[in-house]
Amino acid sequence: MGKIADFESPVLRIEHDEAEAVATLWLDRAEARNAMGVDLWRDLPRAMAVLSADTTVRVVVVAAEGPHFSVGLDLKAMGSLLAGGGGGDSGGGAPASMAARARSGRAEVLRLQDAITSVARCPKPVIAAVHGYCIGGGVDLIAACDIRLASSDAIFSVREAKVAIVADLGSLQRLPAIIHAGHLAELAFTGKDISAERAKDIGLVNDVAADVEGVHKAARELAAEIAANSPIAVQGTKAVLAANEGRTVAQGLDYVATWNAGMLASDDLTEAMTAFMEKRSPKFTGR
């Protein structure tokens, strides 16, 4: 495993398997059960920008160190946000108005939303490998991934209703495309915990492995399988799937026709055809 240059963080770590063209983004704050604090919200967009730009990375796995994937928002570090703080004063020492505090709080929520959206914006497939607790903001994070796998000990919870807030970092917006509306309503209204098996039953995760080692192995193997395909085709497929949102079938077909008109003339397509004729596995370069 190599290391991606030009990225350092106290709470995130990137490992790069150059042979497989797979990078793993590790949540690396095990002592705090990977609670999502100031450093995470600052560094997650930076990490995703690095991974998105690195042409030697074709697939990203998001995994976590320690016994839990993430217990969600760090309530100690981010408590002022939940309490509507951060507005400061209005100048000259006067207390900020309610409107000023609301504007400041909204700007902070938008910043956190954008950090999660940086995962969804990644042009490459992103696979979440979940074990232990995946609570609140942890669910927001995996909902922004393309594929989710879990270990048998994983526990999921859209927890926000239990702490008297409305989930606002993406779960309520992204989960409707992942699970049935009734299941989402149940999870969001109750804030209940669900097991890995229930998560699989409702489609939140694709598959369940026996343990943490198993889910990390399964995620790496799936990532390698995807990375073996043409990155032009894989990333194009992700872009076309995203473009389908809000379009009719006819509009989606028109879009992909235009996409392929520009992308079919690739070296990878020539290599695929040549490898087929020569009865060998293709070696794609992404050109």
Side-chain angles (χ1 to χ4, degrees):
M1 291 285 185
K3 186 177 181 181
I4 298 285
D6 303 323
F7 181 77
E8 297 289 341
S9 168
V11 297
L12 296 172
R13 189 179 82 258
I14 298 175
E15 287 183 352
H16 185 198
D17 185 337
E18 294 188 51
E20 300 282 6
V22 173
T24 302
L25 177 63
W26 291 96
L27 307 184
D28 195 14
R29 196 186 176 204
E31 74 284 356
R33 300 186 296 175
N34 292 309
M36 305 166 93
V38 175
D39 292 330
L40 182 283
W41 299 112
R42 179 194 65 222
D43 293 345
L44 181 59
R46 292 178 49 239
M48 295 312 301
V50 167
L51 292 167
S52 295
D54 193 324
T55 57
T56 66
V57 174
R58 297 185 181 182
V59 183
V60 177
V61 174
V62 178
E65 297 284 11
H68 300 290
F69 183 81
S70 177
V71 294
L73 195 70
D74 186 335
L75 298 179
K76 292 181 180 179
M78 310 294 288
S80 64
L81 171 64
L82 293 178
D89 60 46
S90 59
S97 69
M98 181 182 295
R101 293 195 303 272
R103 181 175 60 185
S104 176
R106 180 176 185 274
E108 183 67 0
V109 171
L110 290 173
R111 183 179 72 86
L112 271 55
Q113 288 176 348
D114 189 68
I116 295 293
T117 299
S118 71
V119 178
R121 278 196 304 260
C122 181
K124 302 158 187 183
V126 182
I127 301 169
V130 182
H131 72 283
Y133 285 130
C134 181
I135 305 296
V139 176
D140 292 313
L141 176 57
I142 68 167
C145 297
D146 300 293
I147 299 169
R148 289 153 294 279
L149 304 176
S151 62
S152 60
D153 71 335
I155 298 292
F156 301 86
S157 176
V158 182
R159 184 64 62 84
E160 284 82 357
K162 284 188 176 294
V163 292
I165 62 174
V166 175
D168 58 4
L169 300 184
S171 289
L172 301 185
Q173 291 70 39
R174 294 190 172 98
L175 287 179
I178 298 170
I179 64 177
H180 188 276
H183 292 305
L184 174 56
E186 178 187 349
L187 298 184
F189 295 164
T190 65
K192 72 194 323 178
D193 294 349
I194 63 168
S195 68
E197 285 301 327
R198 172 82 193 279
K200 182 180 178 182
D201 287 344
I202 66 175
L204 179 58
V205 301
N206 289 41
D207 207 355
V208 176
D211 51 30
V212 61
E213 292 80 8
V215 73
H216 290 166
K217 182 175 183 288
R220 289 192 301 269
E221 289 176 349
L222 179 57
E225 182 180 358
I226 295 169
N229 290 330
S230 164
I232 293 176
V234 170
Q235 292 173 37
T237 298
K238 179 169 179 174
V240 169
L241 286 171
N244 285 340
E245 296 177 14
R247 283 184 165 93
T248 65
V249 171
Q251 290 169 333
L253 289 170
D254 185 68
Y255 183 92
V256 73
T258 303
W259 181 281
N260 268 351
M263 293 295 184
L264 277 178
S266 69
D267 291 349
D268 278 357
L269 179 58
T270 301
E271 167 63 9
M273 298 303 164
T274 303
F276 176 78
M277 297 299 292
E278 296 177 354
K279 298 181 180 180
R280 61 173 175 82
S281 296
K283 295 180 180 179
F284 296 118
T285 61
R287 294 195 296 268

